[in-house]
Amino acid sequence: MEDFTGCLWVISRQIIDHTEDAKLTFIGRCEVSDGWYQETGQMVLPDGQSLSSTRRYRWGATLEGVDVHFDDGRFFHRIDLAHASAQARHFCDPDDYEVSYEFTQWPVWTSLWKVKGPRKDYEMDSSYRKLTL
């Protein structure tokens, strides 16, 4: 987990919302510090409107990688760092979240989320690049 901390990451993200047939983009930054993953940026909606967006998760090192928890402490998923490619899944009734991580181009890495549920059907493709200060 030390490779993630002590720096800023630039995030570029595309979200394809299949229920609305819409494409959204996000440009921002994240930092992993003191056990917290925190990101901030701007979400651009299909009509061009821009909204501020933030999210925060608790990250904890394990022998297998990183355990990701929600703000309130509930377990979300594990990032398996033993492999250059990793998958995880989280079922949050009634929605199903699947993620694929790619670390083969480190220090550039990606995550691809596929989310399905009664009111959700989207893919969120994020690329992280270490910001050189």
Side-chain angles (χ1 to χ4, degrees):
M1 190 163 105
E2 296 83 23
D3 289 339
F4 293 99
T5 61
C7 61
L8 292 175
W9 297 90
V10 175
I11 308 167
S12 60
R13 177 177 293 147
Q14 291 201 354
I15 302 168
I16 307 297
D17 185 340
H18 299 291
T19 60
E20 299 292 326
D21 194 29
K23 180 178 172 182
L24 299 87
T25 58
F26 171 88
I27 300 293
R29 293 182 180 180
C30 77
E31 182 178 13
V32 179
S33 179
D34 296 325
W36 289 100
Y37 166 101
Q38 299 183 78
E39 73 176 42
T40 60
Q42 295 294 309
M43 179 77 68
V44 180
L45 304 178
D47 65 2
Q49 182 180 3
S50 182
L51 304 171
S52 293
S53 176
T54 63
R55 62 174 57 174
R56 182 171 106 142
Y57 298 101
R58 173 65 79 183
W59 275 27
T62 69
L63 292 177
E64 295 82 19
V66 176
D67 278 354
V68 180
H69 291 81
F70 293 106
D71 263 2
D72 63 7
R74 291 177 297 130
F75 180 75
F76 185 22
H77 69 285
R78 174 171 290 148
I79 303 171
D80 179 358
L81 297 178
H83 303 92
S85 300
Q87 291 78 39
R89 188 172 185 184
H90 176 78
F91 183 70
C92 185
D93 195 15
D95 303 316
D96 195 25
Y97 295 77
E98 293 183 10
V99 63
S100 297
Y101 289 99
E102 282 292 330
F103 300 105
T104 55
Q105 301 296 315
W106 188 264
V108 174
W109 56 284
T110 63
S111 66
L112 174 61
W113 285 93
K114 294 181 180 183
V115 181
K116 292 198 180 261
R119 294 179 303 244
K120 295 179 182 179
D121 185 7
Y122 67 88
E123 294 178 21
M124 184 169 64
D125 192 2
S126 303
S127 177
Y128 298 80
R129 179 180 49 83
K130 192 179 285 192
L131 181 65
T132 303
L133 301 174

